[in-house]
Amino acid sequence: MSLRHVIPPYLLDAIAERGGEKFPRAARAARSCQVSDESCRNLRAEGLRYTPVATPDGGAQDSEAAMHSQVTGASAGVNRLIHDAQGTETLPGSLVRSEGEDAVSDEAVNEAYDGLGASYSLFAEAFERNSLDGKGMPLIASVHYGQDYDNAFFDGRLMVFGDGDDEVFTGFTGSLSIIGHELSHGVISHTADLEYLGQPGALNEHCADVFGALTEQHDSGQEAGDATWLIGAGIFTPEVTGQALRSMLAPGTAYDDDVLGKDPQPDHMDRYVTTDSDNGGVHLNSGIPNRAFALAATRLGGQAWETVGQVWYSVLTGDDITTRTDFAGFAALTIAEAVAQFGEGSDVHDALVQSWDAVGVTRGAGRGNVGSSW
């Protein structure tokens, strides 16, 4: 899989271009982050998945191999390895906490450890999946990456967290929905592997948001009607006028700030964004299926991972989805899966039909746009 950053490029662009007076440190950090992220994308263009490194000759290992050499008995359950990059961009850094070890004095290390565990628990307990690859893949993370690094990403091997710039962004280990989102990209890459472009790419981001939100809800035993449906709540400092990176239930309302601008996510196919940037608007147009999922979940009530979450996971891991499935195709698969699991005319089936209809994917003028954007 290619690199997936949680902060979309258009947000970094806004901070770099308009933040100089109010957020000078953040503006410098955004410009630095843009260069760093582009470098990372180029280095990992072919994508990576976890593969244990064998060294039968006992020879020296590079840093990646050394990281993998820590992994033993992963299939027995969750296996977390947290590293400290110590302000550098050399990964993974020094191993500072392993599975089963007590909490340490570094809050970011402990937040990463707990967040990885919460994501593992969602997939294990709700969907009977053994880690990201279904085969006990270890969950590896690095904290304190770079200087004022305004992002977090999963590169197929490990989860990487920046500390933020303290003007716009706080540390990225503090958001459970972000951790769940980024690790879910690993599940997606080992299942449907949706192409990161246009509508399939927006579905890739959407599914990561779904399981990011469910990670947070599952960890607290929260019902759909009580959930915020926010991705990245608390990631902004108090100086920013905004509550999160995205709102699944109300796309376009997560922030409205003088420097960052207004949340540009559409909530309906009538407002679908056609663009060449951001891989065809993958972080933008994901708002449309996000709202469909959140509407269905809140209409049904109860714990979302037991209803619509089951439908989404089955579609994502099923045989009918392809790397280039678009919104209309995905909606049809979820509706068919709802019938298969819960019955035609069931509450789940009806909720999905109504929700996809409400965001314009399965009716009206918006339907003519589906599948034509990439």
Side-chain angles (χ1 to χ4, degrees):
M1 61 174 287
S2 58
L3 216 61
R4 307 283 186 261
H5 292 89
V6 71
I7 303 299
Y10 55 79
L11 201 50
L12 291 176
D13 291 343
I15 297 168
E17 292 169 8
R18 299 194 295 268
E21 183 175 347
K22 185 178 181 180
F23 301 128
R25 182 177 175 182
R28 290 192 299 271
R31 288 190 289 270
S32 176
C33 194
Q34 288 171 318
V35 173
S36 176
D37 291 352
E38 184 61 31
S39 175
C40 286
R41 290 188 193 98
N42 291 338
L43 287 171
R44 299 179 177 94
E46 294 182 0
L48 292 166
R49 293 186 184 179
Y50 168 74
T51 303
V53 178
T55 55
D57 59 358
Q61 297 173 308
D62 62 18
S63 61
E64 181 180 339
M67 172 179 65
H68 290 152
S69 73
Q70 304 290 339
V71 179
T72 56
S75 61
V78 62
N79 189 6
R80 290 164 286 186
L81 299 161
I82 313 300
H83 301 76
D84 185 353
Q86 301 176 330
T88 74
E89 296 187 10
T90 301
L91 294 171
S94 301
L95 182 65
V96 290
R97 189 176 178 190
S98 299
E99 185 62 41
E101 292 183 348
D102 292 338
V104 297
S105 60
D106 189 328
E107 184 179 10
V109 171
N110 298 327
E111 287 176 339
Y113 183 91
D114 293 343
L116 267 58
S119 184
Y120 180 94
S121 293
L122 168 72
F123 286 104
E125 296 170 12
F127 308 116
E128 298 183 350
R129 185 178 187 85
N130 186 9
S131 195
L132 309 185
D133 63 351
K135 301 176 182 178
M137 173 181 174
L139 300 181
I140 305 168
S142 293
V143 301
H144 304 310
Y145 177 79
Q147 296 291 322
D148 292 346
Y149 185 68
D150 279 343
N151 228 323
F153 61 87
F154 180 73
D155 72 353
R157 308 164 304 161
L158 75 161
M159 179 80 209
V160 180
F161 300 94
D163 290 325
D165 55 63
D166 288 331
E167 287 185 342
V168 171
F169 295 110
T170 63
F172 285 81
T173 56
S175 172
L176 188 51
S177 58
I178 281 180
I179 295 175
H181 169 101
E182 287 300 312
L183 289 179
S184 294
H185 277 304
V187 175
I188 295 164
S189 72
H190 283 96
T191 54
D193 200 20
L194 289 156
E195 182 179 25
Y196 206 61
L197 179 69
Q199 288 189 15
L203 286 171
N204 194 312
E205 281 296 321
H206 155 67
C207 288
D209 274 355
V210 163
F211 294 109
L214 293 185
T215 294
E216 193 169 73
Q217 293 171 30
H218 182 265
D219 186 63
S220 60
Q222 195 172 48
E223 296 195 352
D226 298 323
T228 67
W229 295 100
L230 297 174
I231 302 299
I235 200 65
F236 292 133
T237 71
E239 299 304 310
V240 175
T241 306
Q243 55 184 342
L245 292 177
R246 292 182 289 281
S247 170
M248 293 185 66
L249 192 58
T253 67
Y255 57 87
D256 190 354
D257 182 83
D258 290 343
V259 173
L260 277 64
K262 188 180 187 303
D263 176 5
Q265 275 205 315
D267 62 357
H268 192 280
M269 284 301 295
D270 287 346
R271 290 172 284 282
Y272 186 95
V273 179
T274 300
T275 177
D276 292 330
S277 65
D278 188 29
N279 289 77
V282 297
H283 289 94
L284 292 169
N285 294 311
S286 58
I288 296 169
N290 274 3
R291 179 162 169 77
F293 183 94
L295 281 175
T298 52
R299 281 171 176 160
L300 290 166
Q303 295 173 324
W305 61 88
E306 295 182 344
T307 54
V308 282
Q310 293 295 326
V311 171
W312 256 244
Y313 180 76
S314 295
V315 168
L316 191 66
T317 58
D319 295 330
D320 294 326
I321 193 170
T322 73
T323 59
R324 305 189 76 187
T325 293
D326 63 8
F327 286 2
F330 190 83
L333 289 174
T334 62
I335 291 169
E337 184 61 32
V339 171
Q341 285 196 37
F342 298 96
E344 187 168 2
S346 64
D347 289 345
V348 176
H349 177 220
D350 288 346
L352 286 182
V353 170
Q354 293 167 14
S355 297
W356 284 116
D357 184 74
V359 299
V361 169
T362 55
R363 72 168 184 181
R367 189 172 184 177
N369 295 331
V370 173
S372 63
S373 63
W374 59 283

